[in-house]
């Protein structure tokens, strides 16, 4: 059995609904608090979305660079933000073992066929004392997720 490989990034072809925006706000709020407290030098976001909004919000808190990875990204960047268009099929070796102080993955892990491989790769990319911030949907949110996807478009 194989899973379908994604060819589009979040936000590439449509705008988020109001319910999506609320979920994004709540997820990003926690990440931003961690970034304010930790002041990471290097940040990696796996599944940053086409317009990489979280990386833009994290930019003031990262002292060196922010890297965003997704299957498609926009061409616009800033001096501290680097974007990588890359399909992530359970293998993070394309990052070359770079050390990150903070790795963020918001609503992405559940799309992988073998998430344990991605998690193992992330562990290898974290610097000593680094933090991995993960958000995945829960069964409690199933109704709202389905409502947003199938009723609100």
């Amino acid at each position: 059995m194989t899973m379908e490989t994604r060819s589009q990034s979040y936000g590439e072809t449509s705008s988020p609904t109001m319910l999506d925006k609320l979920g994004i706000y709540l997820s990003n709020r926690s990440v931003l608090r961690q970034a304010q407290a930790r002041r990471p030098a290097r940040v990696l976001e796996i599944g940053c979305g086409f317009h990489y909004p979280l990386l833009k919000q994290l930019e003031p808190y990262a002292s060196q660079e922010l890297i965003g990875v997704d299957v498609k990204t926009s061409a616009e960047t800033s001096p501290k933000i680097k974007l990588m268009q890359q399909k992530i099929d359970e293998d993070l070796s394309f990052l070359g073992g770079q050390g990150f102080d903070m790795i963020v993955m918001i609503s992405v892990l559940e799309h992988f066929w073998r998430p344990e491989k991605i998690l193992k790769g992330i562990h290898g990319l974290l610097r000593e004392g680094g933090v991995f911030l993960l958000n995945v949907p829960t069964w409690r949110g199933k109704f709202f997720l389905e409502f947003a996807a199938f009723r609100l478009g």
Side-chain angles (χ1 to χ4, degrees):
M1 183 187 298
T2 60
M3 283 186 79
E4 183 179 320
T5 303
R6 293 182 66 102
S7 61
Q8 293 182 329
S9 295
Y10 181 78
E12 181 180 353
T13 58
S14 62
S15 297
T17 66
M18 288 304 292
L19 198 55
D20 289 335
K21 288 178 183 179
L22 175 62
I24 291 166
Y25 166 78
L26 293 172
S27 295
N28 290 359
R29 185 175 65 168
S30 298
V31 173
L32 291 170
R33 273 197 224 125
Q34 286 290 321
Q36 283 177 312
R38 292 177 175 274
R39 300 290 178 169
R42 299 188 72 232
V43 176
L44 169 65
E45 184 180 12
I46 299 171
C48 63
F50 190 75
H51 298 289
Y52 58 98
L54 180 57
L55 287 177
K56 291 174 185 174
Q57 291 179 303
L58 288 169
E59 191 171 12
Y61 308 113
S63 61
Q64 290 181 13
E65 70 177 341
L66 302 101
I67 297 176
V69 180
D70 214 321
V71 292
K72 286 192 181 173
T73 58
S74 86
E76 62 175 88
T77 62
S78 73
K80 279 202 289 191
I81 297 175
K82 295 178 185 174
L83 301 175
M84 299 175 79
Q85 287 192 162
Q86 178 75 36
K87 287 187 179 181
I88 304 168
D89 296 324
E90 303 167 353
D91 182 16
L92 299 176
S93 62
F94 66 91
L95 290 164
Q98 302 176 38
F100 293 95
D101 302 295
M102 179 179 282
I103 299 177
V104 180
M105 201 174 201
I106 306 293
S107 297
V108 175
L109 187 66
E110 67 275 11
H111 297 281
F112 292 107
W113 185 244
R114 297 199 318 224
E116 67 279 1
K117 285 192 167 196
I118 291 292
L119 294 173
K120 191 173 189 177
I122 287 169
H123 184 263
L125 292 171
L126 278 174
R127 287 183 177 163
E128 180 88 21
V131 63
F132 173 44
L133 304 173
L134 173 69
N135 183 342
V136 293
T138 67
W139 284 107
R140 287 189 297 164
K142 184 178 185 294
F143 170 79
F144 296 103
L145 292 170
E146 288 178 349
F147 180 77
F150 301 114
R151 302 286 177 147
L152 300 178

